[in-house]
Amino acid sequence: MNLSDIDLRLLEVFIAVVEGRGIANAQTLLNRDASTISRQLRQLEDRLELRLCERGRGGFQLTPDGEKVFRNTLALKQAVKTFEDCNESLKGHLSGQVRLAMIDNLITDPNCPLRRVLARYGARAENETHLHMEVMAPSQIEHALLDHRADLGIGIFPAHLPELHYEPMYEETDWLVCAPSNPLAGAESPEQVQSTLNACAKVARNFLNAQDTSRLGGEPSNVTAWVANIEAAALLILAGTHVGFLPNHYARSWIESGQMVAIRPDHFRRTSVIEVAFRPGREAQKPAVDALREDLFATLALFGRPAARVR
């Protein structure tokens, strides 16, 4: 079959349905109602003369042909993206899309250079790029980089993937915090804190693995809440039900207003390295992305942090 623009749009619908594990979840991704999505899937199946998926009361399931078409569609999508990026690089100025994925709540950290980086990047001459920025959990950032849905990722990455390159940017400091109503708030000495902490319900970030739980101490079963972002952890801590580590820059306003208590930050603290991650190799890059990375590393160098080599 010869692909038309309509076919490409139908394939985008198919990708959304597969990634959403069904038509119901794809409605939000596509901003369309279920009947429209179902009709477009039937159109695609008629065009391909293949049954792509089973859908109905039994749930969503790709057929063997559907699995092959899905893999081929992803390969096609990547080929089109590579074609677009190569054409953008021929224009002699910065253009196209730059997709930045990052963890949540970096903006309140005075050590975070992103504000200065974006200002520097925006001041570049003949910069016609379109920035697409999205907040994700660290594992989602890495998957987006691998799938070419993101060009740069900024976050905490405890386990480095061999397919990606990582460069340290700065360190983020976490303090142990709780609500004033929590029994831990009255503990003073490190020994008293540790004794009380052992019995407290704790919240930990799932992507930090043992880096969070080992510092909290006590039985692992006392970690009764796992979260992917610090806003969810803060909500549980403010409720008084859990204690845990939060970045000090993020918790500071609640500490100053008396809604949170920092527990012996001279003793109960931990640090995380904020890193930038990207796909290595020149074939994976384009001038607009290279320029943003150059501005990032140049900004870091201004503040005494080692400038990484752009690869």
Side-chain angles (χ1 to χ4, degrees):
M1 65 179 280
N2 294 319
L3 286 175
S4 66
D5 288 345
I6 294 176
D7 295 322
L8 293 175
R9 289 196 290 271
L10 293 177
L11 287 170
E12 287 287 352
V13 171
F14 178 53
I15 289 175
V17 172
V18 176
E19 292 182 342
R21 300 301 303 162
I23 291 174
N25 294 333
Q27 292 181 77
T28 302
L29 294 172
L30 296 169
N31 195 26
R32 298 171 199 173
D33 59 58
S35 61
T36 300
I37 296 172
S38 182
R39 184 178 69 253
Q40 290 172 326
L41 275 181
R42 287 196 300 271
Q43 283 182 266
L44 181 60
E45 289 176 328
D46 290 343
R47 283 284 289 152
L48 296 173
E49 299 181 358
L50 295 170
R51 180 69 172 173
L52 299 177
C53 55
E54 303 297 338
R55 49 207 185 263
R57 292 185 179 179
F60 175 84
Q61 181 71 43
L62 279 177
T63 65
D65 287 335
E67 291 178 359
K68 294 174 183 176
V69 171
F70 179 63
R71 290 196 297 269
N72 291 340
T73 302
L74 292 181
L76 173 64
K77 187 176 180 181
Q78 182 53 46
V80 171
K81 185 69 179 64
T82 301
F83 173 79
E84 292 172 344
D85 290 346
C86 288
N87 284 344
E88 291 294 342
S89 69
L90 298 175
K91 293 182 178 180
H93 58 269
L94 301 183
S95 59
Q97 295 182 358
V98 175
R99 298 155 302 178
L100 176 62
M102 69 189 87
I103 57 173
D104 64 323
N105 294 299
L106 295 175
I107 192 170
T108 54
D109 194 338
N111 292 319
C112 180
L114 277 179
R115 193 180 309 178
R116 300 181 185 90
V117 173
L118 294 173
R120 184 181 184 124
Y121 188 68
R124 280 180 174 259
E126 297 188 76
N127 186 348
E128 299 176 6
T129 57
H130 291 254
L131 280 172
H132 292 257
M133 303 171 68
E134 191 169 353
V135 173
M136 303 179 181
S139 62
Q140 293 175 320
I141 293 173
E142 290 175 314
H143 288 147
L145 290 168
L146 293 175
D147 295 342
H148 295 257
R149 291 181 287 111
D151 298 305
L152 292 177
I154 295 174
I156 301 170
F157 306 106
H160 289 180
L161 300 180
E163 301 91 341
L164 298 177
H165 180 77
Y166 301 81
E167 290 281 354
M169 293 173 54
Y170 63 96
E171 286 190 344
E172 181 179 70
T173 300
D174 294 343
W175 287 347
L176 178 63
V177 293
C178 68
S181 60
N182 192 281
L184 188 63
E188 297 180 357
S189 69
E191 294 76 18
Q192 188 180 7
V193 170
Q194 193 64 67
S195 175
T196 308
L197 183 60
N198 289 341
C200 289
K202 305 173 184 71
V203 56
R205 282 168 278 178
N206 48 25
F207 57 87
L208 291 175
N209 303 316
Q211 293 183 31
D212 240 4
T213 55
S214 62
R215 194 72 184 89
L216 286 169
E219 292 296 323
S221 60
N222 285 339
V223 178
T224 59
W226 296 91
V227 297
N229 57 72
I230 61 173
E231 185 167 346
L235 185 60
L236 289 167
I237 292 168
L238 286 167
T241 57
H242 291 70
V243 304
F245 283 103
L246 288 180
N248 59 2
H249 62 86
Y250 179 74
R252 191 176 301 277
S253 62
W254 284 302
I255 294 171
E256 291 175 350
S257 66
Q259 298 178 73
M260 282 186 189
V261 178
I263 307 300
R264 290 297 301 266
D266 59 325
H267 189 82
F268 291 91
R269 62 195 300 161
R270 58 174 303 280
T271 59
S272 299
V273 178
I274 306 294
E275 297 179 292
V276 57
F278 49 87
R279 300 182 302 276
R282 301 304 306 173
E283 72 283 354
Q285 302 306 324
K286 53 188 177 183
V289 177
D290 284 343
L292 182 57
R293 289 196 309 178
E294 289 169 3
D295 287 342
L296 172 62
F297 296 137
T299 302
L300 291 175
L302 284 176
F303 290 88
R305 298 158 197 160
R309 180 167 60 90
V310 178
R311 307 182 185 194

